[in-house]
């Protein structure tokens, strides 16, 4: 059975990634919005979407109409972008449904003002909540502090607005025993923390990080990803008198000089993956040390204690920190595992054969799980799904 393609991948991923970043930072301009729209022109030349085209739905058409109207409201000149969208997107709405869904909720809320006499699109409601910024900070004296949007917290060496945690820069400790904090991200959460040396860390759902409140001058800076997934943007050694930075993760240790990388080490998975985005890292396992180049990934099988280095799809591996799910040749079991962490649900399959169906897709994390499941259902590989409280059943 061939993979079901649910997103067009003919666009330039680097440019697309930059536009995503600008949108998520609320910095996208009208011209960039039009550039984003121009990617859809490729669908006219893409014959792989014939089956999806035949399955075009009214829902995508209505949502695309709202996007068109919002762009026209900002640009009264009737530019080629408007004609492009009219000529290609409507013909290929079903084919692009998942790619477009990355932007549907965002563009509808940010660029479209409802007009009198028109009905607004209503999202499918669900008792299952969308993930959000939340964490539990465990301080050096054992206190547990809940961090979440709307709750500010501050102490002598840190502050949080409920959406991020920032430690005082430049704080250094003596050679006495280090003082550690823990940041635990529950299922259904994510969080951003700036360590005392300026290193930035994005933590995904169901993750835990151990780190010193302050680093010792000149000494190796060590933190531990106890479990879960984290993206590190490390403050360079040159800013810390040559002090290197190391991340411990179970049986492996990643040593960096100044770089950006992603580590995935979930408790319910038998592997650890380390993906280098830029810079240089050395991954140490037992007595071996392997160097990674940008866009390479080291895959460690924790059961067999074997490793391999492969070329990584950095976009897919790190999309989570930009508010996206990006699935490249992932089977439905793997996809549901990712969704279960973000939405804090348990997923079961009525037929185990469904677990092996593979998909490619890009989805917005800021939408109800019902909407994502509906899109997967439209591929015709699953016939139905059922949600009961915090449990999802995938039916054949």
């Amino acid at each position: 059975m061939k993979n079901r393609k649910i997103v067009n991948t003919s666009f330039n991923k680097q440019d697309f990634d930059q536009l995503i970043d600008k949108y998520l930072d609320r910095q996208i301009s009208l011209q960039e919005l039009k550039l984003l729209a121009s990617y859809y022109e490729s669908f006219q030349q893409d014959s792989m979407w014939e089956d999806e085209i035949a399955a075009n739905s009214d829902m995508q058409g209505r949502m695309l109409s709202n996007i068109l109207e919002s762009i026209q409201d900002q640009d009264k000149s009737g530019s080629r972008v408007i004609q492009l969208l009219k000529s290609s997107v409507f013909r290929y709405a079903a084919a692009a449904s998942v790619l477009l869904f990355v932007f549907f909720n965002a563009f509808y809320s940010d660029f479209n003002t409802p007009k009198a006499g028109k009905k607004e699109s209503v999202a499918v409601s669900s008792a299952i909540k969308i993930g959000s910024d939340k964490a539990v900070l465990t301080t050096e004296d054992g206190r547990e502090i809940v961090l979440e949007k709307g709750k500010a917290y501050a102490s002598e060496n840190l502050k949080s607005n409920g959406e991020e945690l920032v430690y005082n820069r430049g704080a250094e400790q003596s050679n006495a025993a280090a003082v550690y904090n823990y940041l635990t991200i529950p299922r259904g959460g994510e969080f951003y923390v700036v360590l005392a040396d300026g290193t930035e860390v994005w933590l995904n759902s169901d993750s835990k990080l151990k780190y010193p409140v302050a680093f010792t001058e000149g000494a190796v800076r060590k933190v531990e990803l106890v479990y879960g997934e984290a993206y590190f943007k490390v403050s360079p050694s040159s800013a810390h008198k040559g002090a290197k930075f190391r991340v411990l993760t179970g049986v492996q240790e990643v040593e960096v000089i100044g770089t950006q990388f992603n580590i995935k080490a979930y408790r319910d998975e038998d592997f650890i993956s380390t993906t280098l985005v830029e810079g240089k890292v050395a991954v140490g396992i037992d007595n071996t040390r392997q160097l990674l180049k940008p866009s390479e990934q080291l895959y460690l099988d924790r059961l067999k204690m074997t490793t391999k280095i492969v070329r990584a799809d950095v976009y897919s591996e790190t999309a989570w920190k930009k508010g996206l799910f990006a699935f490249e040749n992932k089977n439905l079991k793997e996809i549901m595992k990712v969704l279960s962490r973000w939405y804090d649900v348990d997923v079961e399959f009525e037929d185990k054969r469904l677990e092996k169906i593979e998909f490619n897709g890009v989805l917005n994390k800021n939408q109800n799980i019902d909407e994502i499941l509906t899109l997967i259902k439209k591929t015709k590989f699953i016939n139905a799904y059922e949600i009961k409280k915090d449990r999802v059943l995938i039916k054949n």
Side-chain angles (χ1 to χ4, degrees):
M1 181 182 294
K2 67 179 181 178
N3 291 5
R4 174 60 67 174
K5 305 269 187 184
I6 54 176
V7 60
N8 181 279
T9 56
S10 60
F11 50 78
N12 182 303
K13 282 190 174 182
Q14 183 176 359
D15 291 345
F16 180 73
D17 197 11
Q18 291 174 352
L19 290 176
I20 287 289
D21 283 339
K22 287 193 173 184
Y23 166 71
L24 293 175
D25 291 335
R26 296 296 188 266
Q27 299 296 321
I28 193 166
S29 67
L30 176 60
Q31 291 303 316
E32 288 166 339
L33 180 59
K34 291 179 180 180
L35 176 60
L36 181 63
S38 72
Y39 282 123
Y40 303 143
E41 188 171 18
S42 63
F43 286 113
Q44 291 180 318
Q45 311 299 328
D46 202 336
S47 61
M48 66 180 284
W49 301 107
E50 292 178 355
D51 292 339
E52 284 83 355
I53 292 168
N56 195 0
S57 71
D58 291 337
M59 181 184 71
Q60 274 99 32
R62 288 195 301 271
M63 298 180 84
L64 285 166
S65 294
N66 289 328
I67 295 174
L68 281 175
E69 290 168 1
S70 68
I71 297 177
Q72 285 177 316
D73 285 343
Q74 294 187 73
D75 185 355
K76 304 298 184 181
S77 63
S79 67
R80 178 177 175 273
V81 172
I82 302 302
Q83 299 304 317
L84 165 65
L85 283 167
K86 286 181 177 178
S87 64
S88 64
V89 176
F90 278 102
R91 291 176 55 205
Y92 295 87
S97 60
V98 175
L99 174 60
L100 293 174
F101 226 91
V102 172
F103 304 98
F104 278 163
N105 294 337
F107 285 174
Y108 187 78
S109 61
D110 281 359
F111 294 106
N112 187 52
T113 301
K115 293 178 173 54
K118 291 191 176 183
K119 294 183 179 179
E120 298 181 40
S121 298
V122 179
V124 180
S125 62
S126 172
I128 297 174
K129 295 182 179 180
I130 299 171
S132 61
D133 295 321
K134 56 186 173 183
V136 176
L137 170 66
T138 303
T139 62
E140 56 273 23
D141 57 5
R143 289 182 300 133
E144 293 190 346
I145 300 156
V146 176
L147 306 176
E148 59 186 1
K149 190 173 182 178
K151 291 185 178 180
Y153 173 78
S155 69
E156 183 180 354
N157 57 358
L158 61 88
K159 61 181 178 181
S160 173
N161 60 4
E163 299 178 46
E164 62 182 25
L165 178 62
V166 180
Y167 283 78
N168 293 342
R169 292 290 299 272
E172 295 178 346
Q173 60 189 17
S174 65
N175 292 325
V179 175
Y180 289 93
N181 281 182
Y182 291 82
L183 195 63
T184 304
I185 318 302
R187 280 163 53 106
E190 62 183 5
F191 219 76
Y192 167 76
V193 57
V194 180
L195 303 181
D197 67 336
T199 292
E200 300 172 77
V201 187
W202 289 260
L203 288 158
N204 208 346
S205 303
D206 194 18
S207 301
K208 187 173 186 176
L209 183 70
K210 176 185 177 181
Y211 52 90
V213 172
F215 293 92
T216 302
E217 182 180 2
V220 174
R221 297 166 287 158
K222 287 186 180 181
V223 302
E224 180 182 358
L225 180 61
V226 181
Y227 58 79
E229 183 171 17
Y231 184 99
F232 292 85
K233 184 177 181 181
V234 178
S235 179
S237 299
S238 57
H240 304 280
K241 299 183 178 180
K244 296 180 179 180
F245 191 96
R246 292 177 184 168
V247 181
L248 308 179
T249 308
V251 295
Q252 81 169 25
E253 178 179 280
V254 177
E255 181 178 293
V256 305
I257 298 174
T259 188
Q260 297 187 42
F261 59 99
N262 193 85
I263 300 179
K264 185 187 297 182
Y266 280 106
R267 292 172 292 182
D268 58 353
E269 295 179 342
D270 297 327
F271 66 89
I272 298 174
S273 64
T274 303
T275 306
L276 182 60
V277 178
E278 62 180 55
K280 182 188 296 184
V281 299
V283 182
I285 302 167
D286 289 335
N287 296 320
T288 65
R289 191 169 181 266
Q290 301 182 65
L291 294 175
L292 290 184
K293 299 176 183 177
S295 298
E296 286 187 340
Q297 179 183 83
L298 186 142
Y299 184 94
L300 166 64
D301 186 320
R302 286 193 274 202
L303 298 180
K304 299 178 182 179
M305 289 302 294
T306 57
T307 63
K308 63 179 179 180
I309 296 177
V310 299
R311 189 73 177 174
D313 183 343
V314 173
Y315 173 83
S316 296
E317 291 294 328
T318 62
W320 65 268
K321 67 178 281 287
K322 302 179 180 71
L324 302 172
F325 299 117
F327 302 117
E328 183 73 17
N329 298 326
K330 297 296 184 182
N331 61 46
L332 199 54
K333 182 178 180 180
E334 294 172 307
I335 292 172
M336 289 300 118
K337 185 174 288 186
V338 172
L339 297 183
S340 71
R341 293 183 186 124
W342 180 240
Y343 294 99
D344 192 14
V345 297
D346 294 321
V347 180
E348 296 180 15
F349 289 85
E350 189 175 68
D351 186 337
K352 292 295 183 182
R353 291 176 296 181
L354 297 175
E355 297 179 349
K356 299 180 181 180
I357 301 169
E358 291 189 342
F359 293 85
N360 295 333
V362 180
L363 300 162
N364 188 342
K365 292 171 67 177
N366 191 31
Q367 59 184 314
N368 291 319
I369 192 172
D370 313 61
E371 296 169 319
I372 292 178
L373 293 173
T374 297
L375 286 171
I376 294 175
K377 180 176 175 290
K378 286 180 180 295
T379 65
K380 308 300 183 182
F381 274 116
I382 67 171
N383 292 324
Y385 64 87
E386 182 180 339
I387 298 178
K388 288 186 177 179
K389 294 183 179 180
D390 56 355
R391 176 176 170 272
V392 175
L393 177 63
I394 306 297
K395 299 183 176 182
N396 58 7

